[in-house]
Amino acid sequence: HLQISTLPFVMGKGGESSSSTASLRSGAAGGGASVKGSSGVAVVSSEVLIDGVWYDTSSFKHPGGRVLSYYAGRDATQAYHEFHQRSAKAAKFLKTLPSREAQPSESESSKDGLVRDFDELRMQLEKEGFFKPNYAHTVYRLAELAVMCVAGVALWMQGYKAASVVMIGIMQGRCGWLMHEGGHYSLTGNIKVDRALQIFLYGTGCGMSASWWRNQHNKHHATPQKVGYDVDLNTLPLVAFCKDVLKSSHPTALKAWLKLQPWLFIPVTNQLVGFGWQFYLHPRHIIRTKNVAEMAAFAARFAIIGALTYALGAGNTAALYLATNTVSFNYIFLNFAVSHTHLPTLQKHENTDWVRYAAVHTMNVHSSWWCNWWMAYLNFQIEHHLFPSMPQYRHPIVSPRVRAMFEKHGVKYDSRGYLEAMYDCFSNLKSVGDLAFTG
C-alpha cells in the first residue's frame, strides 16, 4: 500500500469521516489512555487481550514498532493471529509476558455474532487449506515477471520504444504486487524465503526498501482509515484524501495545490511520491538500519542501470528510467487508491473490530479475469484485510463465503466496478481539495 510517514515525500489513503459507521465503533483510543474492558472491568492501558488472556506489554519492545499499542486495552485476538499466522517466535514471545485470565465477556468473539462467525469461517478455511502456499503459482508469478522483462528489452531493441516502456513499467509495478505478497509471507509460507523474495523484488525491481514497507504496511492493516494510526492517512503536503488532515492554517500555496490535486494526481503527484521513495526515503531507511541485504538489492538495480548507461548512453538511460517509472508509479498508486481513499475514516478515540475494519474501511473492485490480473487480486481488499496471510489468488474463491457472512449480519459487502471506483476516488480528491481551498 501507499505508505509514507515522513515529509516531504508523503502519500497514502484517506476518505471522509462518516457517522453511518458510528454503530460499528466502540471503545477508547489505544495506547496510553485509561480504558475499560467490555465487561466494565478496569484494564491496564498497556494490556492486550489475546485468546481470553490479558498480556502486559509495557516492557515489551515489539519488532514491528508501536503497532502493538494500537490495540492497547482491547481484544487483539484476530489481529494477532492474522499477523502471526506463520510465526513460531510470536507464540514464544507471548508466553514470556506477564498475563492474567480475562472474563469471558471481554472477548469480542463472545459478544459479537459477526466476529464469532468470522472466527469460525477462518478455522474452516484453514482446515480446507486456503492458507497453504502454492509453489507452482509463485513460480508462475516470478516467471511472468521474467518474461515481461525480456519482452520489454526485445521491444526496445526492435525499435518499439513506447511499447517497451509500457511493458517494463508494468513489469516493475507487478514486482510491487508480488513483493506485497512476500511481505505477508504468502508466497512460500517460509518467512525467511518470502522476505528474501520481497527484498529482491522490491529492491531490485522497484528500487525500494522491503523492511520500511513492512513496518508501515502492518500499521495500515492494524487500523485501516483510523486518523493518527493508519500511516496511509499521513498524506500532506502532496495530497489530501480526507478532510480530517486539513487545517485552516495551511499556507495559501498548499491550499491552491490541493485544489488542483485531482488534475495533478496522475501527471505530477504519483511521480513525486515514487521518486521521493526511491531517492530519499527508502535509501535513508536502509542506511539508518544498515540493512545489508537491501543494500545488495539496490546495488543490483544500479548495476543494471549502469549497464544500460554503457549500452544506450546516459541521456537515453535517464529518459528510459523516467518513462518506465512513471508508468510503474501510476500503475501501482492508482490501483491502490481506488480501494481505500474515498471510504469512511475513524477518529483517534474511535475503535471497531477486525472484521468491521475490513467491511467498512476497505472495498472490492468487481471480479473479472482482466481485473484480477491487472490488480493482482488486490481488487479483493475486503478478503485481503480479513485474511492478509492468505495467498491472494484464492480471494475470488473465498469471496462468496465472506459476502454471505456479511449479509447474514446485515453488513454491506462493498464491491464496485473498476470505473465506478476510479470515479469515486477522483471525486473524493476534488471534494477534499475544494474543502481545503475554501475552508
Side-chain angles (χ1 to χ4, degrees), residues 145-160:
L145 295 176
V147 170
M148 292 182 74
C149 182
V150 171
V153 172
L155 286 167
W156 182 274
M157 294 177 65
Q158 293 298 317
Y160 301 103

mmCIF file of all heavy atoms in Angstrom, residues 145-160:
data_model
loop_
_atom_site.group_PDB
_atom_site.id
_atom_site.type_symbol
_atom_site.label_atom_id
_atom_site.label_comp_id
_atom_site.label_asym_id
_atom_site.label_seq_id
_atom_site.Cartn_x
_atom_site.Cartn_y
_atom_site.Cartn_z
ATOM 1 N N LEU A 145 7.133 -12.238 -14.532
ATOM 2 C CA LEU A 145 7.971 -11.046 -14.455
ATOM 3 C C LEU A 145 9.192 -11.166 -15.357
ATOM 4 O O LEU A 145 9.570 -10.210 -16.042
ATOM 5 C CB LEU A 145 8.412 -10.810 -13.007
ATOM 6 C CG LEU A 145 7.312 -10.482 -11.997
ATOM 7 C CD1 LEU A 145 7.902 -10.376 -10.595
ATOM 8 C CD2 LEU A 145 6.605 -9.182 -12.373
ATOM 9 N N ALA A 146 9.808 -12.345 -15.364
ATOM 10 C CA ALA A 146 10.988 -12.558 -16.199
ATOM 11 C C ALA A 146 10.640 -12.425 -17.676
ATOM 12 O O ALA A 146 11.368 -11.789 -18.453
ATOM 13 C CB ALA A 146 11.588 -13.944 -15.920
ATOM 14 N N VAL A 147 9.509 -13.003 -18.074
ATOM 15 C CA VAL A 147 9.074 -12.922 -19.475
ATOM 16 C C VAL A 147 8.772 -11.472 -19.857
ATOM 17 O O VAL A 147 9.153 -11.013 -20.950
ATOM 18 C CB VAL A 147 7.832 -13.812 -19.701
ATOM 19 C CG1 VAL A 147 7.214 -13.541 -21.077
ATOM 20 C CG2 VAL A 147 8.204 -15.287 -19.577
ATOM 21 N N MET A 148 8.121 -10.735 -18.979
ATOM 22 C CA MET A 148 7.806 -9.337 -19.270
ATOM 23 C C MET A 148 9.077 -8.508 -19.400
ATOM 24 O O MET A 148 9.166 -7.605 -20.245
ATOM 25 C CB MET A 148 6.904 -8.757 -18.179
ATOM 26 C CG MET A 148 5.511 -9.345 -18.144
ATOM 27 S SD MET A 148 4.443 -8.592 -16.883
ATOM 28 C CE MET A 148 4.104 -7.008 -17.656
ATOM 29 N N CYS A 149 10.068 -8.795 -18.570
ATOM 30 C CA CYS A 149 11.339 -8.080 -18.640
ATOM 31 C C CYS A 149 12.036 -8.333 -19.977
ATOM 32 O O CYS A 149 12.482 -7.401 -20.650
ATOM 33 C CB CYS A 149 12.239 -8.502 -17.478
ATOM 34 S SG CYS A 149 13.818 -7.642 -17.409
ATOM 35 N N VAL A 150 12.118 -9.613 -20.360
ATOM 36 C CA VAL A 150 12.755 -9.973 -21.633
ATOM 37 C C VAL A 150 11.987 -9.363 -22.795
ATOM 38 O O VAL A 150 12.574 -8.832 -23.755
ATOM 39 C CB VAL A 150 12.835 -11.507 -21.776
ATOM 40 C CG1 VAL A 150 13.289 -11.888 -23.177
ATOM 41 C CG2 VAL A 150 13.781 -12.085 -20.724
ATOM 42 N N ALA A 151 10.659 -9.412 -22.732
ATOM 43 C CA ALA A 151 9.829 -8.843 -23.804
ATOM 44 C C ALA A 151 10.048 -7.343 -23.910
ATOM 45 O O ALA A 151 10.112 -6.790 -25.026
ATOM 46 C CB ALA A 151 8.360 -9.150 -23.541
ATOM 47 N N GLY A 152 10.175 -6.667 -22.769
ATOM 48 C CA GLY A 152 10.405 -5.228 -22.796
ATOM 49 C C GLY A 152 11.718 -4.868 -23.457
ATOM 50 O O GLY A 152 11.789 -3.930 -24.261
ATOM 51 N N VAL A 153 12.778 -5.627 -23.143
ATOM 52 C CA VAL A 153 14.089 -5.386 -23.766
ATOM 53 C C VAL A 153 14.025 -5.676 -25.264
ATOM 54 O O VAL A 153 14.557 -4.910 -26.095
ATOM 55 C CB VAL A 153 15.165 -6.259 -23.088
ATOM 56 C CG1 VAL A 153 16.484 -6.159 -23.846
ATOM 57 C CG2 VAL A 153 15.349 -5.845 -21.635
ATOM 58 N N ALA A 154 13.359 -6.768 -25.648
ATOM 59 C CA ALA A 154 13.247 -7.133 -27.070
ATOM 60 C C ALA A 154 12.486 -6.065 -27.846
ATOM 61 O O ALA A 154 12.870 -5.715 -28.976
ATOM 62 C CB ALA A 154 12.545 -8.481 -27.194
ATOM 63 N N LEU A 155 11.419 -5.552 -27.266
ATOM 64 C CA LEU A 155 10.655 -4.494 -27.937
ATOM 65 C C LEU A 155 11.520 -3.259 -28.165
ATOM 66 O O LEU A 155 11.449 -2.621 -29.218
ATOM 67 C CB LEU A 155 9.421 -4.140 -27.102
ATOM 68 C CG LEU A 155 8.279 -5.153 -27.119
ATOM 69 C CD1 LEU A 155 7.266 -4.838 -26.021
ATOM 70 C CD2 LEU A 155 7.592 -5.173 -28.485
ATOM 71 N N TRP A 156 12.345 -2.919 -27.180
ATOM 72 C CA TRP A 156 13.219 -1.755 -27.314
ATOM 73 C C TRP A 156 14.232 -1.975 -28.447
ATOM 74 O O TRP A 156 14.460 -1.088 -29.277
ATOM 75 C CB TRP A 156 13.947 -1.493 -26.000
ATOM 76 C CG TRP A 156 14.841 -0.281 -26.041
ATOM 77 C CD1 TRP A 156 16.140 -0.231 -26.463
ATOM 78 C CD2 TRP A 156 14.473 1.049 -25.668
ATOM 79 N NE1 TRP A 156 16.622 1.043 -26.378
ATOM 80 C CE2 TRP A 156 15.621 1.859 -25.890
ATOM 81 C CE3 TRP A 156 13.327 1.631 -25.173
ATOM 82 C CZ2 TRP A 156 15.628 3.229 -25.624
ATOM 83 C CZ3 TRP A 156 13.330 2.997 -24.904
ATOM 84 C CH2 TRP A 156 14.466 3.777 -25.129
ATOM 85 N N MET A 157 14.821 -3.172 -28.472
ATOM 86 C CA MET A 157 15.828 -3.473 -29.482
ATOM 87 C C MET A 157 15.238 -3.500 -30.887
ATOM 88 O O MET A 157 15.939 -3.221 -31.872
ATOM 89 C CB MET A 157 16.487 -4.816 -29.158
ATOM 90 C CG MET A 157 17.302 -4.791 -27.870
ATOM 91 S SD MET A 157 18.013 -6.409 -27.448
ATOM 92 C CE MET A 157 19.140 -6.642 -28.839
ATOM 93 N N GLN A 158 13.940 -3.819 -30.981
ATOM 94 C CA GLN A 158 13.270 -3.845 -32.287
ATOM 95 C C GLN A 158 12.735 -2.469 -32.687
ATOM 96 O O GLN A 158 12.122 -2.324 -33.743
ATOM 97 C CB GLN A 158 12.127 -4.859 -32.266
ATOM 98 C CG GLN A 158 12.586 -6.300 -32.132
ATOM 99 C CD GLN A 158 13.464 -6.753 -33.293
ATOM 100 O OE1 GLN A 158 13.177 -6.466 -34.454
ATOM 101 N NE2 GLN A 158 14.559 -7.448 -32.978
ATOM 102 N N GLY A 159 12.941 -1.492 -31.833
ATOM 103 C CA GLY A 159 12.530 -0.130 -32.154
ATOM 104 C C GLY A 159 11.144 0.261 -31.659
ATOM 105 O O GLY A 159 10.693 1.380 -31.914
ATOM 106 N N TYR A 160 10.474 -0.637 -30.948
ATOM 107 C CA TYR A 160 9.143 -0.328 -30.408
ATOM 108 C C TYR A 160 9.291 0.253 -29.002
ATOM 109 O O TYR A 160 8.975 -0.380 -27.996
ATOM 110 C CB TYR A 160 8.275 -1.585 -30.385
ATOM 111 C CG TYR A 160 8.082 -2.208 -31.746
ATOM 112 C CD1 TYR A 160 8.793 -3.362 -32.099
ATOM 113 C CD2 TYR A 160 7.195 -1.652 -32.668
ATOM 114 C CE1 TYR A 160 8.624 -3.945 -33.352
ATOM 115 C CE2 TYR A 160 7.017 -2.234 -33.920
ATOM 116 C CZ TYR A 160 7.737 -3.374 -34.252
ATOM 117 O OH TYR A 160 7.564 -3.947 -35.488
#
